[in-house]
């Protein structure tokens, strides 16, 4: 209703001005040249779109457009040939939470990276330089996804100069080294936009020649002088910047820092606004409490822009064209909109460690045809998802009528060694309180084929260490060889009739080498040889005498497929992991044996409810060693009404149907909060503790949150053992 009333008021004003003769229509021949200046202000800059809508309805021609930060994005899209209606639809339909995040859909990640998810590592990756210096990323948010959005907004086109656009255009940035204003007038239009919006510390700076460019608001948030020197006899300036806070509102560290930023920007805005003449027009939308981060409120912001421009229609009308002349101007503008050109050459900017041929091979751009944007962006995202780059940008530039694609991979400058850490803890409120500190060290791009040395560890009641050297055998990475070592020591409780009769410390270690293929990012296949050593030491309780020290060597095989969108709370995708080992020779009175372990999941979403089905199984042929991870049931979401390791057997099978629905609670979680339930069934075969043979079941209810530190659970379970058990966990510690 409010938007309809605004439109009626605006239309009425235009008509009234025409009837009263106050709209002094200028002819195309003698009219002044009009420069539009769109200032910076984060999400508040979406109001620029509403102002453009009113300018078009009032038939105000624009001869050049200059923008800073968000203003440069709107200005660039308009100069490229987008209509305000098209920009409004894209701005309001966009998932800004996703665009302004560094994470890509999990399905795009390489399978090796997906396998790391079970460590529950915090998303911040520390760098460790070869000098021993610890380093951090230079920006909090990658603009990888924003760039693809801007490519679409500018039609994926190229231009020899920004003067050759449908409307001459300039983007304003700041040289972070000396604070000087930099006016971008040619090159790749999306690169210019990114440079103009690169808020220091938030978004990565953009290198251009010898300069390192950041947000233009530091030097010129409302660049009136740039538009005047470019073309303008008359300036229409739009200021969407946040005004300085009142004294009573400066009452915390955050508000003080916010005020500092506002005052710094205001220092360069004031002289620009003071330079406006009586012929010029200043539009300042009343954005009230709408902040620079309110991208989700795009419709409200655009409406505020329309309202502000409507209030200025009396001043604007003197520069309006007659309908026929404006229509001709508009047709000429749209006829010159940007368009993709055939790609004639592909280049990769130099890198310190990464082989550029690997990147070229991965994106596989076809020469002689326009860039196949959808396919190219998908491949680019897949390469970025490998985790080697902080940015994977590209530029499209026009060289003598031919389009050149320049890939600009930005290596993580806080490497080449990377450290990640995670924390987990839990309790079943009955004396079982597992905890863990996890970590991972990676050394990347050891050679030109992309070799990586990865080491992960877990410290707590379970001690674990794994190390693998992953060596691709060709540029595409489809074949690899991977020697590895591993060690794991964990406590195993032995139960009988609900009583803990013994506690063992079980140790498993091994060394092996695999030959494998990552056929796609979806999964991998491995075949290898390994030596494994098993040991069990009684700590307390009865001496069961059935866990002897032994070692053997044999062949192993694994198949891993993972397309879940989230490991802990998936809504779509599948996971399939099949591993097998056949022992050929061993110590003492050895007999050959085989082992197969299966883990499969299918995730689904129906309406607002998500869920997954899971099946896990372990089958041993003959006298295989005991593996507590796969030959026991009990613990949260592993037959939850039973204690951890309460059901032990030579073989196991477990099935689960789980549902969880997003809820708004606390508002502190990253991926969301959920209320959920799980229906579980399982059994052991040939129980090792001569107890509880047959099938068992459990029903579990929980509240969960997907947090930065991993999944958080508060749950309760009841099953066929007539026990009610409670759990509280950070990470699945059971």
């Amino acid at each position: 209703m409010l938007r309809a009333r605004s439109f009626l008021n605006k239309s009425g004003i235009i008509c009234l001005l025409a009837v009263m003769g106050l709209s002094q229509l200028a002819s195309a021949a003698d009219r002044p040249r009009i420069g539009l200046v769109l200032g910076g202000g984060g999400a508040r800059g979406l109001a620029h779109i509403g102002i453009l809508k009113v300018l078009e309805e009032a038939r105000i021609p624009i001869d050049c457009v200059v923008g800073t930060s968000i203003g440069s994005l709107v200005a660039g899209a308009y100069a490229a040939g987008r209509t305000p209606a098209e920009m409004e639809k894209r701005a309001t339909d966009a998932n800004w939470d996703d665009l302004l995040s560094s994470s890509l859909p999990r399905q795009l990640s390489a399978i090796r990276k997906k396998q790391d998810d079970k460590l529950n590592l915090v998303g911040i990756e520390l760098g460790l330089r070869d000098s021993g210096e610890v380093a951090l990323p230079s920006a909090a948010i990658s603009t990888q996804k924003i760039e693809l959005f801007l490519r679409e907004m500018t039609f994926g086109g190229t231009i020899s100069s920004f003067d050759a656009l449908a409307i001459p255009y300039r983007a304003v940035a700041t040289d972070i080294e000396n604070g000087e204003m930099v006016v971008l007038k040619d090159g790749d239009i999306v690169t210019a936009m990114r440079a103009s919006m690169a808020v220091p510390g938030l978004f990565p700076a953009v290198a251009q020649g010898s300069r390192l460019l950041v947000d233009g608001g530091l030097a010129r948030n409302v660049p009136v002088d740039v538009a005047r020197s470019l073309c303008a006899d008359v300036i229409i300036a739009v200021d969407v910047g946040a005004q300085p806070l009142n004294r009573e509102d400066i009452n915390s560290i955050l508000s003080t820092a916010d005020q500092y930023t506002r005052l710094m920007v205001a220092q360069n805005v004031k002289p620009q606004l003071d330079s406006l003449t009586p012929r010029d027009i200043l539009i300042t939308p009343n954005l009230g409490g709408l902040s620079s981060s309110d991208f989700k409120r795009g419709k409200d912001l655009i409406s505020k822009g329309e309202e502000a421009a409507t209030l200025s229609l009396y001043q604007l009308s003197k520069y309006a064209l007659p309908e026929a002349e404006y229509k001709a101007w508009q047709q000429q503008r749209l006829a010159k909109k940007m368009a993709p050109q055939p790609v004639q050459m592909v280049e990769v900017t130099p890198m310190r460690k990464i082989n550029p041929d690997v990147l070229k091979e991965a994106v596989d751009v076809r020469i002689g045809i326009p860039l196949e944007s959808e396919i190219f962006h998908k491949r680019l995202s897949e390469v970025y998802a490998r985790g080697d780059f902080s940015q994977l940008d590209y530029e499209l530039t026009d060289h003598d009528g031919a389009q050149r694609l320049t890939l600009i991979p930005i290596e993580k400058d806080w490497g080449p060694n990377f450290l990640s850490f995670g924390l987990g803890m839990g309790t079943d409120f009955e004396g079982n309180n597992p905890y863990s500190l996890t970590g991972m060290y990676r050394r990347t791009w050891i050679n030109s084929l992309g070799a990586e040395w990865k080491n992960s560890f877990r410290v707590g009641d379970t001690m674990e260490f794994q190390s693998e050297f992953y060596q691709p055998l060709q540029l595409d990475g489809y074949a690899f060889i991977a020697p590895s070592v591993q060690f794991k020591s964990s406590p195993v409780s032995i139960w009988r009739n609900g009583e803990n009769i013994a506690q063992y410390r079980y140790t498993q270690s091994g060394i092996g080498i695999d030959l494998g293929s990552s056929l796609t990012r979806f999964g991998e296949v491995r075949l290898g040889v390994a030596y494994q050593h098993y040991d069990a030491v009684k700590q307390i309780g009865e001496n069961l005498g059935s866990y002897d020290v032994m070692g053997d060597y044999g062949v192993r095989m694994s198949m891993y497929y993972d397309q879940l969108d989230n490991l802990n709370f998936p809504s779509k995708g599948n996971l399939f992991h099949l591993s097998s080992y056949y022992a050929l020779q061993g110590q003492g009175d050895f007999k050959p044996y085989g082992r197969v372990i299966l883990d499969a999941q299918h995730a689904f979403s129906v309406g607002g409810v998500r869920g997954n089905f899971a099946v896990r199984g372990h089958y041993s042929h003959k006298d295989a060693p005991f593996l507590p991870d796969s030959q026991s049931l009990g613990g949260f979401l592993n037959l939850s009404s039973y204690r951890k390791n309460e059901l032990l057997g030579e073989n196991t099978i477990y099935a689960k149907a789980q549902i969880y629905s997003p809820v708004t609670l606390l508002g502190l979680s990253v991926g969301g909060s959920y209320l959920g339930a799980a229906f579980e069934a399982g059994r052991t075969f040939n129980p090792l503790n001569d107890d509880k043979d047959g099938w068992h079941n459990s029903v579990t209810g929980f509240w969960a949150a997907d947090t930065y530190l991993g999944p958080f659970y508060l749950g309760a379970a009841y099953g066929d053992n007539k026990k009610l058990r409670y759990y509280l966990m950070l990470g699945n510690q059971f």
Side-chain angles (χ1 to χ4, degrees):
M1 181 64 73
L2 289 175
R3 291 175 60 84
R5 186 180 298 123
S6 173
F7 173 77
L8 292 173
N9 289 344
K10 179 171 54 185
S11 302
I13 292 173
I14 294 174
C15 293
L16 180 62
L17 290 172
V19 170
M20 294 178 63
L22 295 175
S23 181
Q24 301 173 12
L25 301 179
S27 69
D30 60 3
R31 70 174 181 83
R33 293 175 60 79
I34 300 172
L36 178 63
V37 179
L38 303 181
R44 294 163 65 95
L46 295 179
H48 293 318
I49 298 173
I51 288 165
L52 285 172
K53 290 175 65 178
V54 174
L55 293 179
E56 288 209 342
E57 291 167 2
R59 304 194 301 277
I60 310 299
I62 302 300
D63 296 287
C64 63
V65 58
V66 179
T68 293
S69 197
I70 184 76
S72 74
L73 273 58
V74 176
Y78 191 61
R82 285 287 179 197
T83 67
E86 290 172 338
M87 286 189 276
E88 179 178 28
K89 176 170 175 53
R90 283 161 176 77
T92 54
D93 288 351
N95 183 343
W96 289 99
D97 283 344
D98 182 58
L99 287 176
L100 296 173
S101 72
S102 299
S103 62
L104 291 172
R106 184 176 182 272
Q107 297 95 318
L108 292 178
S109 295
I111 193 67
R112 285 171 53 76
K113 195 172 180 183
K114 292 174 185 173
Q115 291 169 343
D116 295 338
D117 289 348
K118 63 181 181 292
L119 293 172
N120 285 325
L121 300 172
V122 177
I124 299 174
E125 196 173 45
L126 299 177
L128 184 64
R129 299 199 170 104
D130 288 336
S131 63
E133 177 187 0
V134 177
L136 290 170
S138 58
I141 299 174
S142 165
T143 53
Q144 190 70 31
K145 287 184 280 190
I146 296 175
E147 174 168 358
L148 304 187
F149 176 75
L150 297 178
R151 291 287 171 197
E152 196 276 334
M153 289 289 280
T154 54
F155 304 100
T158 60
I159 205 76
S160 58
S161 162
F162 296 167
D163 289 335
L165 288 164
I167 298 174
Y169 162 71
R170 297 290 186 270
V172 175
T174 304
D175 186 328
I176 196 171
E177 184 177 9
N178 54 33
E180 292 179 357
M181 177 179 69
V182 178
V183 179
L184 302 168
K185 61 180 181 179
D186 53 27
D188 179 67
I189 189 170
V190 170
T191 299
M193 292 177 175
R194 286 197 303 106
S196 184
M197 60 162 274
V199 179
L202 185 63
F203 299 124
V206 175
Q208 190 165 84
S210 61
R211 294 180 180 269
L212 191 61
L213 305 182
V214 296
D215 193 291
L218 297 176
R220 198 78 89 250
N221 203 48
V222 185
V224 171
D225 55 346
V226 178
R228 209 178 293 281
S229 64
L230 175 60
C231 81
D233 301 316
V234 172
I235 296 290
I236 299 174
V238 185
D239 181 12
V240 293
Q243 297 302 306
L245 297 170
N246 297 321
R247 179 173 177 176
E248 56 270 18
D249 296 325
I250 307 172
N251 50 25
S252 68
I253 294 175
L254 293 177
S255 61
T256 301
D258 183 24
Q259 179 74 340
Y260 173 79
T261 303
R262 296 182 187 216
L263 290 175
M264 181 174 59
V265 172
Q267 294 300 313
N268 70 64
V269 170
K270 187 177 185 301
Q272 295 298 305
L273 300 188
D274 289 346
S275 72
L276 296 175
T277 70
R279 298 183 69 192
D280 302 325
I281 300 167
L282 173 63
I283 301 175
T284 307
N286 180 14
L287 300 177
L290 293 169
S291 75
S292 60
S293 60
D294 280 333
F295 285 95
K296 290 182 179 180
R297 299 187 62 181
K299 291 183 178 180
D300 295 332
L301 288 159
I302 292 170
S303 178
K304 290 291 186 182
E306 290 184 68
E307 291 175 9
T310 300
L311 293 175
S312 299
L313 277 174
Y314 181 86
Q315 295 170 278
L316 291 168
S317 63
K318 70 181 81 171
Y319 303 119
L321 284 178
E323 185 172 351
E325 292 186 18
Y326 183 79
K327 184 176 180 181
W329 176 86
Q330 183 73 290
Q331 288 175 342
Q332 184 181 31
R333 182 181 83 86
L334 296 178
K336 293 179 66 178
K337 71 181 181 181
M338 293 182 73
Q341 306 296 324
V343 176
Q344 300 298 345
M345 60 191 84
V346 178
E347 296 180 353
V348 181
T349 57
M351 293 178 281
R352 292 178 293 110
K353 292 185 176 296
I354 298 176
N355 184 352
D357 292 334
V358 173
L359 186 54
K360 274 190 177 183
E361 178 82 17
V363 297
D364 191 25
V365 176
R366 293 201 289 170
I367 301 298
I369 64 172
L371 185 66
E372 300 167 297
S373 295
E374 185 174 346
I375 296 173
F376 174 70
H377 288 168
K378 182 179 179 181
R379 290 173 179 164
L380 203 67
S381 296
E382 290 172 1
V383 176
Y384 174 73
R386 296 177 184 177
D388 296 320
F389 306 101
S390 60
Q391 287 278 124
L392 188 49
D393 304 324
Y394 71 95
E395 290 186 349
L396 293 170
T397 49
D398 185 71
H399 290 265
D400 299 325
Q403 182 167 269
R404 179 171 69 186
L405 170 65
T406 305
L407 294 165
I408 309 175
I410 310 298
E411 296 171 273
K412 291 181 174 179
D413 58 2
W414 62 99
N417 307 284
F418 300 98
L419 296 169
S420 302
F421 297 96
L423 178 68
M425 58 189 69
T427 180
D428 63 1
F429 301 99
E430 293 187 21
N432 195 355
N433 306 303
Y435 64 95
S436 65
L437 172 66
T438 57
M440 184 170 67
Y441 161 78
R442 295 189 303 128
R443 170 76 186 208
T444 60
W445 284 92
I446 297 172
N447 55 42
S448 63
L449 289 176
E452 178 185 65
W453 183 31
K454 182 189 292 185
N455 302 271
S456 62
F457 68 86
R458 179 180 177 183
V459 178
D461 56 332
T462 293
M463 309 292 288
E464 187 173 4
F465 173 76
Q466 296 186 47
S467 180
E468 179 182 81
F469 188 88
Y470 178 85
Q471 175 63 67
L473 299 178
Q474 54 201 105
L475 286 177
D476 56 22
Y478 282 178
F480 63 87
I481 189 168
S484 62
V485 296
Q486 54 273 335
F487 169 86
K488 185 174 184 179
S489 176
S490 57
V492 178
S493 299
I494 309 298
W495 298 84
R496 180 175 297 158
N497 297 321
E499 181 184 355
N500 187 191
I501 61 172
Q503 182 85 26
Y504 276 72
R505 170 63 65 168
Y506 188 88
T507 302
Q508 177 187 357
S509 58
I511 184 171
I513 185 169
D514 295 327
L515 179 66
S517 175
S518 299
L519 299 176
T520 68
R521 69 178 185 279
F522 302 147
E524 68 175 22
V525 177
R526 294 186 178 217
L527 179 65
V529 295
Y531 170 78
Q532 299 186 98
H533 181 270
Y534 310 93
D535 187 13
V537 176
K538 181 178 70 71
Q539 295 178 314
I540 57 173
E542 295 184 19
N543 187 359
L544 302 182
S546 58
Y547 305 109
D548 298 325
V549 176
M550 64 178 298
D552 54 61
Y553 63 85
V555 295
R556 63 186 180 187
M557 183 276 293
S558 71
M559 299 174 60
Y560 203 107
Y561 171 91
D562 184 354
Q563 275 291 282
L564 295 176
D565 60 345
N566 184 297
L567 184 63
N568 299 304
F569 306 102
S571 62
K572 59 182 177 181
N574 299 286
L575 181 149
F576 178 83
H577 184 201
L578 177 67
S579 64
S580 63
Y581 175 74
Y582 188 79
L584 300 171
Q585 189 58 265
Q587 300 172 348
D589 186 18
F590 172 83
K591 295 180 181 179
Y593 69 88
R595 175 192 303 123
V596 178
I597 301 173
L598 170 69
D599 183 4
Q601 293 186 49
H602 169 72
F604 61 89
S605 178
V606 180
V609 178
R610 308 173 187 179
N612 69 314
F613 299 109
V615 175
R616 295 197 301 270
H618 172 277
Y619 173 74
S620 295
H621 174 63
K622 297 185 177 178
D623 298 323
F626 172 63
L627 296 178
D629 286 344
S630 55
Q631 290 176 254
S632 68
L633 295 176
F636 188 68
L637 296 183
N638 190 39
L639 216 57
S640 307
S641 67
Y642 288 85
R643 296 180 178 90
K644 185 176 182 180
N645 303 138
E646 188 169 350
L647 303 176
L648 302 174
E650 289 185 3
N651 299 304
T652 59
I653 186 168
Y654 168 83
K656 174 184 67 176
Q658 184 178 208
I659 58 173
Y660 31 88
S661 179
V663 294
T664 54
L665 184 62
L666 299 181
L668 299 177
S669 56
V670 178
S673 299
Y674 304 91
L675 284 177
F679 306 90
E680 307 171 82
R683 69 166 295 176
T684 60
F685 298 85
N686 299 325
L688 300 181
N689 53 3
D690 298 322
D691 189 28
K692 297 185 173 66
D693 197 3
W695 285 91
H696 307 279
N697 60 74
S698 178
V699 178
T700 306
F702 58 84
W703 172 75
D706 203 0
T707 75
Y708 280 111
L709 297 177
F712 175 83
Y713 293 97
L714 181 62
Y718 185 81
D720 66 302
N721 58 347
K722 311 302 181 185
K723 297 290 186 181
L724 182 61
R725 204 168 304 283
Y726 301 96
Y727 295 93
L728 186 149
M729 284 184 304
L730 178 62
N732 194 342
Q733 301 301 301
F734 291 88

